[in-house]
Structure formats: C-alpha cells, structure tokens
Amino acid sequence: MTQTVGQVGEMEGIWKEECGVSGVLCTNGQPAAPLVHIALYALQHRGQESAGIAALDGGEVRLHRGMGLVAQVFDNGRIESLLGSLAIGHVRYATMGSARLENAQPFVVSSPWGPVAISHNGNLINAPALRRDLEAHGVMLHATTDSEMIAHLIARAPAAATIEDAVASCMRRLEGAYTVAALADGKLFGFRDAHAIRPIMVGRGPGFWAIASETCAFDHIGAESVCEVEPGELVVIDASGMRTQQVLPVDRRAHCVFEYIYFARPDTVLRGRNVHQARRRMGRILAREHPADADIVIAVPDSGTSAAMGFAETAGLPFEVGLIKNRYIGRTFIQPDQASRDFGVRLKLNPNVEVIADRRVVLVDDSIVRGTTSGRIVGLLRNAGAREVHVRISSPPIRHACYYGIDTSSRGELIASRIDVEQIRRYIDADSLGYLSQDGLVDAVALPSDTLCMACLDGQYPTRRPTEEEAGRAALDGFERAPVGSLRL
C-alpha cells in the first residue's frame, strides 16, 4: 500500500485497515479544508477505499465522506462548502466485508463541548468490550469499525471538566494501536497509544498548524515537520499554539517496522529516517546475505523499487525496469475471489520482454504473504523468456498475525507460517529465494530493535495478545447499518 495508488505487491493479498489521518488549524482565518484535502492526496497510498473531511465552522461541523479515492469523493465545490479554519481528514482501506459508507471517517458525535470529530488509524484490541459497554449505556453505534467508539468515549467521558480531560480519559480506556486526529471546542488534537505503533506527526506552515500520519503530507501543503506525537502523548493545538500532555506511562516504544518496509511513502521521514534510504539499505544488506548469480535486477513496482536499487548497487548488477505497472487498476485484493485476483495481476503488470528475455533475473519485492501473487509474477517473467528467476525479499518471513491496524484475517493464510523457505521457493517456482534476516532489517532501519514492533515476524507482541473474541471482531462487519453521506452536526 506504499507509494502510489494501485500498487502491486504481495502485501496486497492479506493486510487490511491501513489508514491515513490529517488535521489543520489555520491561525490566519483561512479555511482549513483545502489544506486537509491536499494532505489526503499525499496520504492516498494509506487508504483507497474511502475518504472524508470534517470542518468546524463556528459551532457546527460540516462533514463529507464517501467511497473511493480522494479525487472521486471531493470536487472543488464540495471543498469550498467545508467552511471553517479547523478541519480533519481521513483515508481508509479495509476488506470488502467492511467496505461500507458508514465505516468511512471522520466520525462526528455530539458532546458537552459541542461536536467532536475524530479520524483514527490503528486497531483497538479491546473493541468488543468497549462496544458492549457503550451499547449498555444507550449509545447507538452506526459503524462496524472500532473507530466510531473513540468519538463516543470522548463525548461520554465521566466527570471530565474540559475537552482535554475527556480525551485523556478516552486514551486510558483504549488498548492496542491508535493514532488519532480530532477536533472539538476550537482545538485540534493529536494523540497516540503508549507504544507509538502507528505514525503521527505535527507540522507547521505559514499561518497554520498541521497533523498527519506522514511527513510527506507536510511537503505538499508547505509545512515543516515539528515533531512526532510521542508515545502516550496528547497534543493540543489552538489559537495560542501547541501544548502537550503525557497521558499514558510509556513501557516501551514499538513502532511498526512495516512502515519502513512497505506502508510509508518513500519520501516520508519516520523517527529521523528517510524511508527510501532505509529500504535501499535493506536491499544492500539483502544482496550481501543472499547474493545471486544473475544478469539484471528488477523490482516489483513500486514496493520493491528502493530495495532493488540497493541490491543492484551492492551486487554490481544493472537495475532494469522489467515490470511495467498499469497505474489505473485497483488493488488485487479488492477482488472477491482468487481467480479475479490472478486476472488483476495480469492486468496490472506487464513484463518488459526486451529486458527480460534470455536473462537471469533477480526479482526484488517487499514481502511474500500468501505466495499466490509472487508465483504469478514469476510466471510472467518465465513466459517473457527469463532463463532464471531469483526472488529476493526485503523483509523476513511473515509468520504471525498483526492485531494493530493491518490485520491478517488468519495466520493460516500466511504461507511462511505453514511451510519453510525451500517449500515456498518451490511453490512460487523461483530458481532461488532469499529473505532479509531480522538482524539485517534492524541494521537497515538503524533503530534499536527494542523500539520496533516486529510481532508479525517473531510473535513478540508489545501488548497483551487479544482474546479469540477480540481477534475475531471482524464478524461485526455482517451487521447492516443505515447509509450516511454529507451532514451537519
């Protein structure tokens, strides 16, 4: 889901519910929605199912959200109607089962401080218990996602004297991964779980403050990155500036390592590390760990490009454009069955025959999840005349489910949890297969291993492991809910 709309890669076969959040508070009286709109374009790679913006205009929130890409949901007239100098936005991706308009964000609810709007990235492992509690207290939940509950928890915070107290009270009740941009009472909020699993940043531009999932959003709106929201921290921005409150005690930072491998855009900076350069180092280390006797190096576009460049540099091999991507086709996993997904791969990728034919090819990708997409791509290269195909993966094998906002539907779908590397090689029909080691990954990211979440690789979860009920909460997607569209509150 990195880099561009319609990216092709093995991660598309199984991960879900990656999202992007943004927020802007203009201090010069200008409308905030146009800047949020641009920021959402920059974050489009994080979610292509739905998009939305909520803007606070006086005491009223104007909200528009819809299914599809940012360009499909918003036009100039719609943006101009979202008045107010404070706004938040969201882009979302999830499985087809929950691809419904009522799950699009932001969510808006009434509160003692006026309307509260929130945009959330992550996943709450205690969502079933929170849902039962809210419904027991008479709250009618319209969505099947856990994000709506965050807005209601803020609005119903017990004995909260201020909106800041209410947000802090909400944070203390949430378990799992969350980064949230929120607006209420003329203030812009950004807050994060105690492990900082998903990313969120603060930026500042001429006449405005901004919050976004990635720094690339700041580049597009003319802002400079100020800081990350720290683990367990609440950032409050209003007309007087920014202030912070440490709400949750911090046990350990556990930032998702797949942000560096796959999810974040290459020009984003996470914890001082440029994502493209981190991926390039992954490729260099991968070439040292798993060299290949080959003629050229190619990437699975776009997720493997940076690592393939590093691999080619270290291996002393030409880096070629061997696969051409159709950038106007959606993701493979939006198709309802495997046959449709296989056809989607053929539509999306076309081998550059003059580059591939009669060559020994190193194919670099970010990951192998099910293995079906990798097998199809190897087949494309062989049909194009490749003499040999050596697959190199710039991450270790993915053997464990993720519960923090990029959920796997079943560990059994992870091919590396069922068979070993040699069996995977045979399954995808590669001449050789090499994965980056976990030590090599940590070296490439250049951050201490105990500050990274690598649970999908090694099963070491930074939080308690969710119960069977919590892990299986996707069954809620079966509920039918009333549709929503543009509204005011």
Side-chain angles (χ1 to χ4, degrees), residues 257 261 282 394 396 436-446 454 457:
V257 76
I261 296 169
M282 292 173 201
S394 59
L436 182 65
S437 69
Q438 194 160 328
D439 287 343
L441 173 61
V442 172
D443 287 346
V445 175
M454 296 184 284
L457 309 177

Side-chain angles (χ1 to χ4, degrees), residues 203-215:
R204 191 171 189 181
F208 66 91
W209 289 86
I211 288 175
S213 293
E214 298 184 30
T215 60

Side-chain angles (χ1 to χ4, degrees), residues 339-397:
S340 298
R341 285 193 291 268
D342 292 344
F343 180 68
V345 171
R346 295 196 299 272
L347 277 177
K348 283 182 171 185
L349 290 177
N350 192 51
N352 192 348
V353 175
E354 291 192 6
V355 169
I356 299 300
D358 203 34
R359 299 284 188 91
R360 298 169 300 169
V361 177
V362 175
L363 175 70
V364 179
D365 201 0
D366 60 272
S367 59
I368 297 177
V369 182
R370 286 192 183 101
T372 51
T373 301
S374 293
R376 285 290 181 183
I377 295 172
V378 171
L380 287 176
L381 297 178
R382 292 200 186 282
N383 290 338
R387 281 197 288 146
E388 298 175 4
V389 180
H390 302 274
V391 176
R392 296 295 181 265
I393 304 299
S394 59
S395 68

Side-chain angles (χ1 to χ4, degrees), residues 19-25 35-36 38-43 45-46 87-91 119 121 179-182 188-192 198-204 208-221 223-229 235 237 255 259 268-270:
C19 302
V21 305
S22 64
V24 169
L25 172 67
L35 291 173
V36 172
I38 296 169
L40 292 184
Y41 273 105
L43 299 173
H45 60 286
R46 298 190 69 86
I88 62 169
H90 191 268
V91 289
S119 295
N121 177 28
T179 55
V180 177
L188 175 63
F189 301 89
F191 55 97
R192 197 175 194 184
R198 308 253 64 84
I200 186 167
M201 321 290 175
V202 178
R204 191 171 189 181
F208 66 91
W209 289 86
I211 288 175
S213 293
E214 298 184 30
T215 60
C216 63
F218 300 151
D219 298 335
H220 288 270
I221 63 175
E224 293 185 358
S225 181
V226 173
C227 63
E228 287 195 41
V229 179
V235 170
I237 302 171
H255 191 54
E259 293 287 347
T268 281
V269 176
L270 297 173

